[in-house]
Amino acid sequence: MSILLTGGAGFIGSHTCLELLQEGYDIVVADNLSNSKPEALKRVQELSGKSLRFYQADLLDREAMDRIFTAHKIEAVIHFAGLKSVEQSVKHPLEYYRTNITGTLILCELMQKHNVKNMVFSSSATIYGNAKRVPIRENEPLQATNPYGRTKLIVEEILRDLSAADPEWSISLLRYFNPTGAHPSGRIGEDPTGLRTNIMPYLTQVAAGHIDILNVFGDDYPTADGTGVRDYIHVVDLARGHVKALQKVIRTTGADAYNLGTGRGYSVLELIDTFERMSGRSVPYQVVNRRPGDVAVSYADPQKASAELDWRAEKTLEDMCADAWRWQSGNPQGYSD
Ligand code: NAD
Ligand code: WQD
């Protein structure tokens, strides 16, 4: 039996492939490589000393995806594939709805056809919108504030409906907070092909001297130093969360949502300071206006994942910064080096 990872060549997917191979799982990856490179999977196989099956396939290509389900006995699917830029989703909502929603519908229909009913889904803390209470628990009201967030919210609802209609389905909705860092080997990491908008890839580029200055989006938020606070989570911790969620969906049924975060928030200035200490580089920054749509504070209550998945984040902000820097400095052009 194999585990199918859609989008498994991407940032979080590649780290999850590595953890799964190290745990002895047999894995199959389907990815259209629209935001990733095959080199990531080559390195995953080098690091683990094990091999995986890769298909360059688009989620929207029903026939290609069907052939994968026919060729392999799939026990569960970890569904990462999708588009993830908030900014781009505002400009190209139809593209986002088509990939993230239609793509998931096609996947679920094929899973049903092939009697595969275990799924781990990449959701996002973005669906809490401007949460009234922190730390954020899974039962807080959900509210999407942009098309990307709406796709995650709609897919969560579709998956819950599916589970309600057929109790054989077993689904984990993993709500990631702010994934960052890289594998400590420095061999795999985040290599976005398009624009960088998340803070860590931007920070590493400034530290490397490829970008002159980091814009800090606002210092007048109601936080200790006025800058935005987020729950940064190391991508290796996140990847391990998927292994735990996978084990749970295989042994139970029903649909459940879990926050994957550390439970601690750090401000932008704390992040910059930690990054400077860990990299030994200075990061010039300037405070600019708030970025529209940003919330002041977001961090998880991760207790449900701890109690029900037996998972908790172990790595620190120092680890995230040191590993992100090791990846950036060892691979200045990402996987193109
Ligand atoms: P990523 O872009 O690195 O990985 C997504 C992968 O999906 C890429 O390899 C891409 O080539 C592939 N893909 C995109 N469209 C596809 C399609 N139509 N068919 C097949 N493959 C396709 O992103 P990531 O950071 O690894 O995110 C993985 C998932 O987690 C996404 O669903 C994302 O929305 C979600 N998520 C990410 C974050 C984050 O900050 N990175 C936070 C919360 C949730
Ligand atoms: C973090 C903090 C910014 C860039 C986004 C998505 C969310 C999820 C994770 C997918 C904020 C500040 C940022 C910069 C800055 N992705 N910042 N200068 O916005 O919390 O979440 O990624 O699901 O959906 O919205 O992450 O890394 O963009 O920002 O000052 O150049 O850094 O204001 O306080 P965010 P981020």
Side-chain angles (χ1 to χ4, degrees):
M1 295 287 267
S2 305
I3 308 302
L4 172 65
L5 291 84
T6 71
F11 173 46
I12 304 168
S14 56
H15 288 81
T16 305
C17 283
L18 180 55
E19 293 301 315
L20 288 171
L21 288 175
Q22 286 171 340
E23 292 283 325
Y25 287 90
D26 191 76
I27 65 177
V28 176
V29 172
D31 196 305
N32 69 357
L33 302 179
S34 59
N35 197 35
S36 52
K37 307 223 171 63
E39 176 68 17
L41 294 177
K42 189 169 157 248
R43 295 189 186 184
V44 162
Q45 293 176 89
E46 277 167 19
L47 285 168
S48 63
K50 297 190 177 148
S51 59
L52 55 79
R53 285 298 304 268
F54 172 66
Y55 293 89
Q56 183 166 357
D58 195 306
L59 211 53
L60 296 164
D61 183 345
R62 187 186 294 267
E63 285 69 39
M65 294 300 296
D66 196 15
R67 283 194 293 275
I68 298 173
F69 280 97
T70 304
H72 300 273
K73 241 187 131 26
I74 305 295
E75 184 176 23
V77 176
I78 308 185
H79 180 31
F80 295 104
L83 302 176
K84 65 165 179 174
S85 158
V86 169
E87 211 181 330
Q88 289 299 309
S89 79
V90 174
K91 289 186 185 141
H92 308 287
L94 295 181
E95 209 180 302
Y96 271 68
Y97 287 124
R98 188 161 163 71
T99 301
N100 292 7
I101 299 177
T102 308
T104 304
L105 285 177
I106 292 173
L107 178 67
C108 290
E109 286 164 3
L110 290 172
M111 289 175 69
Q112 202 156 40
K113 174 179 167 189
H114 292 272
N115 204 27
V116 181
K117 294 182 177 175
N118 297 319
M119 181 191 260
V120 176
F121 173 64
S122 297
S123 187
S124 170
T126 194
I127 65 173
Y128 293 116
N130 205 345
K132 288 205 177 61
R133 270 187 300 267
V134 282
I136 302 172
R137 297 178 58 178
E138 288 82 353
N139 57 9
E140 282 296 315
L142 303 177
Q143 171 214 8
T145 54
N146 54 67
Y148 166 72
R150 221 154 356 254
T151 68
K152 293 295 178 190
L153 200 47
I154 292 168
V155 169
E156 281 209 5
E157 286 173 355
I158 291 171
L159 295 176
R160 284 185 191 282
D161 287 344
L162 191 54
S163 156
D166 177 354
E168 284 182 6
W169 277 84
S170 182
I171 301 168
S172 270
L173 310 166
L174 302 184
R175 297 176 182 160
Y176 314 153
F177 277 69
N178 286 63
T180 188
H183 191 263
S185 63
R187 296 291 291 158
I188 56 171
E190 187 169 14
D191 182 23
T193 47
L195 284 175
R196 290 155 204 271
T197 49
N198 288 126
I199 192 160
M200 187 64 97
Y202 215 92
L203 230 167
T204 57
Q205 290 288 304
V206 175
H210 300 153
I211 298 175
D212 290 342
I213 197 158
L214 176 77
N215 288 326
V216 173
F217 297 139
D219 66 354
D220 56 352
Y221 283 107
T223 61
D225 63 23
T227 65
V229 168
R230 294 291 183 277
D231 187 338
Y232 298 98
I233 171 165
H234 197 294
V235 64
V236 171
D237 276 333
L238 195 61
R240 290 180 182 151
H242 289 76
V243 179
K244 295 290 192 169
L246 178 69
Q247 290 165 351
K248 194 218 164 200
V249 296
I250 288 173
R251 70 170 186 267
T252 61
T253 55
D256 261 301
Y258 296 100
N259 286 340
L260 295 189
T262 65
R264 246 214 86 164
Y266 288 96
S267 74
V268 175
L269 295 185
E270 285 175 309
L271 176 64
I272 296 173
D273 178 64
T274 308
F275 188 88
E276 287 185 324
R277 279 193 289 110
M278 299 315 291
S279 66
R281 296 284 178 117
S282 76
V283 177
Y285 69 85
Q286 62 187 357
V287 176
V288 299
N289 287 340
R290 290 183 180 192
R291 183 171 62 179
D294 272 356
V295 301
V297 180
S298 165
Y299 58 94
D301 179 338
Q303 277 183 51
K304 189 177 172 200
S306 167
E308 296 181 21
L309 302 180
D310 184 31
W311 171 89
R312 53 206 68 75
E314 286 166 6
K315 292 178 179 278
T316 62
L317 191 68
E318 278 79 7
D319 297 327
M320 299 177 219
C321 291
D323 293 339
W325 179 242
R326 187 176 302 108
W327 159 250
Q328 165 65 41
S329 46
N331 308 268
Q333 308 301 323
Y335 290 115
S336 307
D337 280 324

